[in-house]
Every structure is written in structure tokens, then in C-alpha cells.
Amino acid sequence: MNIAVLLSGRGSNLQSLIDAQAHGSLSAEIALVISNVPNVSGLEPARKAGIPVKTINHKDFPDRKAFEDALHVALLEADIECVCLAGFMRLLTESFVKKWADRLVNIHPSLLPSYKGLNTHERVLKAGVRFTGCTVHFVRPEMDDGPVILQAVVPILPDDDPNSLAARVLEQEHIIYPLAVDMIASGRVLFENGQIKIKNAGLPGPPIINPSS
Ligand code: GRF
């Protein structure tokens, strides 16, 4: 399965997908990386790995539709079958999302549907919850909405600040994104009544209590 990664910045999730492909644990080919922001560091891992890279700067287009048309054409030209958003900081319109329905995935640094949007770690800490995590999901027109494919839970520690928490969540992002993409590419992700069922899913570990006694 040919996949594209869309990003706007750092690219650590792209790196985790590239690493998984290099280790043979991603049954997909990263065929294109697109950034909507010129010269971001996130493009470097792709260039190093010899993956075709494109910058499609939203500022070069008169409106959202024209920008998304250019994205769509680039994806079609590269025979892309699944699009992975990885820190892509543009909201996509309903029309684009519908064109790629069930072939467009995103990773978000919280346990969706809680804490959609930006500054998740700050809000999680402020709320005083004991767990957060990250989610890979299919994209729907509403922001950070859509059927959940995979989640990882991260406990919050007493001394956490937004940076320490973000770093621990990111470690899990780098595990679940390649895993989820591999599940999609190998045909293990099935839709059942609008929810996702994973074929041959392994059981998770035991429940955890935070703080422990
Ligand atoms: C990640 O935290 C991801 O969950 C969110 O944007 C961030 C992108 O980080 N959607 P990176 O560019 O992959 O390092």
C-alpha cells in the first residue's frame, strides 16, 4: 500500500514510520511526504530516506479549495492509497475529507474523544486526570473526530509538566502510529457499524491504577 505523510513541522512521527519501514514492520511504502510549510525540519528524514518530498504551501493558493485540490492531485499522481496526517496543522474541508474517507488517518496526543484540539497536555494537567495518551483515528470533517483505530494510555506522574508529559506521550505515538498504519495496510482494520474492529487483535495488558497503592 502506497502511503503519503502530510506534516507541517518537526516530523518525529514521520521518522517513526520511516524506521518501521526500514525494519520491515510496516507493510506499506511511504511514497510521498508533503509539507504545507516550506523548509520545515520534518522534511529532512524523508530526504535522507530518499522519499519524494513536496512542499505545497497553503499561502500560495487563493483559498482552501485550491490548496486542497493541489494536495489531491499530488496524492493521485503518486498513486497514494492512504494519507497519514502527522502534525499537519491545516484543517481539511469536508469535501477533501470525503474524497479520502476511510483512507485518511491522524494521530492526536490525547485519549480521544477527550481533549480535542491544541495544548492537550496543558489542559490534561489542569484537569487533574490521572491518565492521558494518544490516539490514531480515521479523519472525519469535525476536528479530531472519527473512528478510533488504536490508543496508548500514559499515566500522569506527580511532577509532570506539559513538556515531560508531551515527551512520554510522543514515545507512545511513535509506537502506535506505525502499528496502526501496518494494521491498515495489511487489511486488519475493519469497519463494523461505524466502529473499528481489528482482525486478530492481541489483548491489552492488565488495567493500571494511578497512583498505585
Ligand atoms: C504530535 O504530537 C501529533 O500527535 C500531533 O502533532 C505532533 C506532531 O509531532 N498531531 P511530529 O511533527 O510528528 O514530531
Side-chain angles (χ1 to χ4, degrees):
M1 176 181 268
N2 275 349
I3 65 166
V5 177
L6 270 54
L7 51 75
S8 307
R10 184 176 53 181
S12 70
N13 278 288
L14 166 64
Q15 183 70 63
S16 74
L17 291 163
I18 292 173
D19 291 345
Q21 192 184 323
H23 295 141
S25 52
L26 190 75
S27 46
E29 168 91 13
I30 308 167
L32 179 63
V33 174
I34 301 178
S35 171
N36 68 312
V37 181
N39 305 319
V40 289
S41 62
L43 291 176
E44 278 318 303
R47 290 205 178 99
K48 274 194 196 135
I51 299 167
V53 158
K54 265 197 162 86
T55 298
I56 302 181
N57 186 348
H58 59 279
K59 292 186 181 156
D60 292 342
F61 296 87
D63 53 33
R64 254 174 217 281
K65 184 182 176 319
F67 167 64
E68 290 181 353
D69 284 349
L71 276 184
H72 186 64
V73 167
L75 295 169
L76 292 183
E77 278 174 359
D79 284 329
I80 298 303
E81 299 164 86
C82 180
V83 180
C84 304
L85 306 180
F88 184 69
M89 302 305 283
R90 295 298 291 172
L91 283 178
L92 293 165
T93 64
E94 183 163 355
S95 148
F96 182 90
V97 171
K98 282 196 169 151
K99 277 187 208 142
W100 289 90
D102 303 344
R103 298 181 299 152
L104 180 59
V105 291
N106 181 42
I107 184 150
H108 182 77
S110 78
L111 291 173
L112 291 175
S114 295
Y115 303 102
K116 297 178 177 185
L118 295 174
N119 305 318
T120 50
H121 307 301
E122 284 84 347
R123 289 184 286 130
V124 157
L125 288 170
K126 204 166 171 203
V129 293
R130 299 294 192 242
F131 294 99
T132 183
C134 45
T135 304
V136 181
H137 65 100
F138 283 108
V139 174
R140 294 292 181 258
E142 293 293 308
M143 188 184 57
D144 298 326
D145 185 36
V148 169
I149 303 167
L150 210 60
Q151 291 184 309
V153 173
V154 174
I156 288 153
L157 304 181
D159 294 333
D160 265 334
D161 59 30
N163 290 332
S164 64
L165 188 54
R168 283 208 320 289
V169 170
L170 196 62
E171 273 177 39
Q172 299 306 313
E173 293 185 36
H174 296 163
I175 295 170
I176 67 167
Y177 213 1
L179 203 54
V181 173
D182 182 64
M183 285 173 172
I184 294 168
S186 54
R188 293 178 59 202
V189 177
L190 312 172
F191 277 89
E192 257 180 30
N193 306 321
Q195 290 193 346
I196 301 294
K197 193 170 173 197
I198 308 290
K199 224 157 104 181
N200 303 324
L203 287 177
I208 46 173
I209 296 171
N210 182 25
S212 75
S213 61

